[in-house]
Amino acid sequence: MAERESLLPTRPSVQRLGRDRLLSPVKDFRIDALGAGAGPGGVRALAAALGLAMPSSIFSDVPQAQPVVVFKLTADFREDPDPRKVNLGVGAYRTDEGQPWVLPVVRKVELQLAKNDSLNHEYLPILGLPEFRTNASHIALGEDSPAIKEKRMGSVQALGGTGALRIGAEFLRRWYNGTNNASTPVYVSAPTWENHNGVFGAAGFVDIRTYRYWDAAKRGLDLKGLLQDMENAPEFSIFVLHACAHNPTGTDPTPEQWEKIVSVMKRRFLFPFFDSAYQGFSSGDLDKDAWAVRYFVNEGFELFCAQSFSKNFGLYNERVGNLIVVGKDADNVVRVLSQMEKIVRVLWSNPPAQGARIVATTLSNPELFTEWKENVKTMADRILLMRTELRSRLEALGTPGTWNHITEQIGMFSFTGLTTKQVEYLVNEKHIYLLPSGRINMCGLTTKNLDYVATSIHEAVTKVQ
Ligand SMILES: Cc1ncc(COP(=O)(O)O)c(C=O)c1O
């Protein structure tokens, strides 16, 4: 503990700093003699009594942080009065009317829960709602998983996928590859969901690297680069892997490519930390989308898997996530979970119940489960339709370049290959909002705005290089 604390930069007490600054305009006065007291409040009273300008705030040295790009984009979109505007930036599902969708099965379960008088608002256990943890883990690992049969898996309810990643990262920094080994390299794909860097950095890791993933020229996976980077990574490095529907490229390894990845990771003792935020969104089929995670478990890896139910249940603001831990045996998992309890206790103490109850109720009831799978398929199918429609429009317009990647990519996002300048043109001239990387959320497309978006992309590609 002492060692960990010593890593923190030493800084003067904020209160003392504030008081020094407050004292500066009146530094020749003996404050106590004037009876104003020595604390900041007393100084403020004194300054006011003497008619001096209010001293500066104790926060005056706090720098303004940059806004989070994707949230800023949505704020800009909201403020844009142009009726043609389209938001392709947001990371959430939208209906063909451009509206958020409360899944019908979720609404049904919410009503059931509201009427259930046996429920209350007592604290949940630190590790979360047991029936949520079990059911959630089972849809990732599969009912016949050897890790479940051999009782060598456990899980922790978390605040969304982000929370699951955060506690997983915190645990690894504290206990993996030595105690408090903040210098273990953590590899994230290039590119990746931008928060991966932030989350592992916040957990204390200081050596966050990228592994090659996206081949811009061929608009596909750079398998050779990826495997080389794994070969060259120090043993026991941590690799963050997208379980399916890679964000932002929409490009996943095939089963044959995963086999090659597994072979290097095993040989080099690399730790797989899966991020599963889109189960069901790749293929519309939950089992197919969990293939990679299950394959690693079958191959005998010890691993973490951060699950998010934000997208596939549409429960974004309920913050429903689950961190799955697969170990070599039950005893290891029990000890890991005991440490997870310590981590959760100081982060959020215990998790919220509503979203976890919705997921647990749905997954544990065969009829609701079937209905949920249909709801997921509705979302996945709409995305597939928008992919086909956009590609066919761009091809019909004769837009320079190839557009097959739009339908070959999977999940919510497409990495269009548009340049930063072309993106700027779309945002500034066409009121079409997308990320500077050229990533678009297919759900932002609707049957009503497809023509406008396609002709605008055509214009951007032909006019702006
Ligand atoms: C790849 C990836 N991981 C994790 C998350 C986090 O999801 P949550 O909102 O559940 O924290 C997201 C959300 O956009 C994501 O795209």
Side-chain angles (χ1 to χ4, degrees), residues 159-162 165 193 196 242 247 275 277-278 308 310-311 319:
L159 267 63
T162 310
L165 287 163
W193 180 54
H196 281 151
H242 296 232
N247 177 9
D275 181 358
Y278 298 94
S308 163
S310 301
K311 324 275 162 158
R319 311 310 296 135

Side-chain angles (χ1 to χ4, degrees), residues 19-222:
R19 190 171 153 221
D20 289 349
R21 200 171 291 123
L22 289 162
L23 281 171
S24 56
V26 289
K27 57 176 175 280
D28 293 334
F29 282 86
R30 289 293 314 267
I31 310 171
D32 290 342
L34 288 169
V43 176
R44 240 173 251 130
L46 172 66
L50 295 175
L52 296 171
M54 269 308 281
S56 59
S57 161
I58 53 168
F59 302 119
S60 56
D61 288 340
V62 177
Q64 178 68 38
Q66 291 298 315
V68 175
V69 177
V70 69
F71 284 85
K72 166 85 169 59
L73 201 70
T74 299
D76 291 347
F77 167 80
R78 274 205 204 101
E79 278 168 27
D80 187 340
D82 196 289
R84 295 167 303 168
K85 67 180 179 177
V86 180
N87 188 0
L88 301 180
V90 63
Y93 180 79
R94 293 285 177 269
T95 63
D96 197 45
E97 282 68 49
Q99 295 304 313
W101 195 45
V102 179
L103 272 56
V105 70
V106 165
R107 180 59 84 221
K108 191 186 269 182
V109 174
E110 277 177 329
L111 293 171
Q112 277 182 18
L113 293 176
K115 285 187 206 143
N116 185 342
D117 288 330
S118 72
L119 295 175
N120 56 43
H121 297 291
E122 288 290 292
Y123 288 123
L124 292 185
I126 294 175
L127 293 182
L129 192 69
E131 51 276 34
F132 164 78
R133 293 164 54 206
T134 307
N135 284 292
S137 304
H138 283 210
I139 65 154
L141 300 180
E143 293 298 339
D144 56 353
S145 173
I148 297 175
K149 283 191 193 139
E150 293 156 20
K151 298 192 176 16
R152 52 184 181 84
M153 55 77 54
S155 78
V156 188
Q157 187 186 331
L159 267 63
T162 310
L165 287 163
R166 180 68 178 80
I167 54 172
E170 180 76 23
F171 174 88
L172 293 173
R173 203 227 55 245
R174 289 188 188 195
W175 299 111
Y176 174 75
N177 195 20
T179 309
N180 197 28
N181 190 349
S183 61
T184 301
V186 177
Y187 283 79
V188 300
S189 61
T192 193
W193 180 54
E194 99 296 341
N195 215 13
H196 281 151
N197 291 288
V199 165
F200 281 86
F205 283 104
V206 292
D207 189 3
I208 300 168
R209 309 180 184 184
T210 54
Y211 60 90
R212 279 171 284 172
Y213 192 85
W214 176 248
D215 182 335
K218 77 169 198 217
R219 291 193 179 141
L221 181 71
D222 179 4

